[in-house]
Amino acid sequence: KAGVTQTPRYLIKTRGQQVTLSCSPISGHRSVSWYQQTPGQGLQFLFEYFSETQRNKGNFPGRFSGRQFSNSRSEMNVSTLELGDSALYLCASSPKSGNTEAFFGQGTRLTVV
Amino acid sequence: SQQGEEDPQALSIQEGENATMNCSYKTSINNLQWYRQNSGRGLVHLILIRSNEREKHSGRLRVTLDTSKKSSSLLITASRAADTASYFCATANTGTASKLTFGTGTRLQVTL
């Protein structure tokens, strides 16, 4: 069974631009969550999607958004990029929403210059 | 914000020794999970322990959970160089179980 696939693996963007990251979950998994990892703040939850609906949201500004498609693939978008958005963005998939282990992708390393 | 604090922040041991990492959290949980991360890559799930369980084993891993103290520990026995990684605890809180709240992590270095 293929694991969680995140694309692209690395990305360099300029302040003010917007970016879209993609995540393909494990086949059959319907829940996709996104996390941001930085040296200063550690791992922080962004949001979770289940059956195309946002189930949970972390404490991030509205510049961070996401969506999930009918095939469970998910995208997250960050608009008006700031230097502080530089981070490793991790996607995790689970067979169901909540109370279960999460399977993480390798992440997308975003650098904002 | 992170709920959990882990200690130690860094741990260096020799191959064959045991490694113990501790995690404390703040609110009621549904379950607590441990993950491993190699060099800023993806997280690998190690073990999940539910709030009504006190101890769980998986291979060389032993996890304990004390909900009265809001703490957990991860023991890796007979460590190998390949165990070198960062280890994170993550809690799934009651009411928002789909959201994992991660601890600060312990960086483990296993030397030959």
Side-chain angles (χ1 to χ4, degrees), chain B:
Chain B
S1 62
Q2 291 169 317
Q3 172 179 217
E5 292 289 330
E6 291 179 62
D7 81 273
Q9 288 189 340
L11 181 59
S12 184
I13 60 174
Q14 291 192 314
E15 211 174 41
E17 295 181 332
N18 295 342
T20 300
M21 291 159 251
N22 302 295
C23 165
S24 62
Y25 57 91
K26 297 174 185 172
T27 62
S28 296
I29 62 170
N30 181 285
N31 66 70
L32 185 144
Q33 304 176 35
W34 285 88
Y35 288 84
R36 184 186 74 226
Q37 184 178 41
N38 291 84
S39 303
R41 302 182 70 184
L43 292 141
V44 175
H45 182 267
L46 296 175
I47 198 164
L48 180 155
I49 185 166
R50 302 198 184 281
S51 60
N52 61 353
E53 297 176 308
R54 291 296 167 257
E55 188 171 311
K56 205 162 182 180
H57 297 254
S58 176
R60 295 184 297 113
L61 306 180
R62 172 178 167 254
V63 168
T64 62
L65 178 64
D66 187 334
T67 52
S68 66
K69 295 181 179 178
K70 291 187 169 56
S71 67
S72 174
S73 68
L74 171 68
L75 168 67
I76 304 174
T77 60
S79 295
R80 306 165 181 167
D83 295 329
T84 295
S86 291
Y87 291 81
F88 295 89
C89 67
T91 54
N93 302 334
T94 53
T96 58
S98 60
K99 167 186 173 182
L100 290 176
T101 303
F102 282 86
T104 49
T106 293
R107 189 174 298 116
L108 173 65
Q109 176 78 43
V110 182
T111 56
L112 296 171

Side-chain angles (χ1 to χ4, degrees), chain A residues 1-4 25-29 95 103:
Chain A
K1 209 179 221 185
V4 178
I26 292 171
S27 177
H29 286 194
F103 297 84

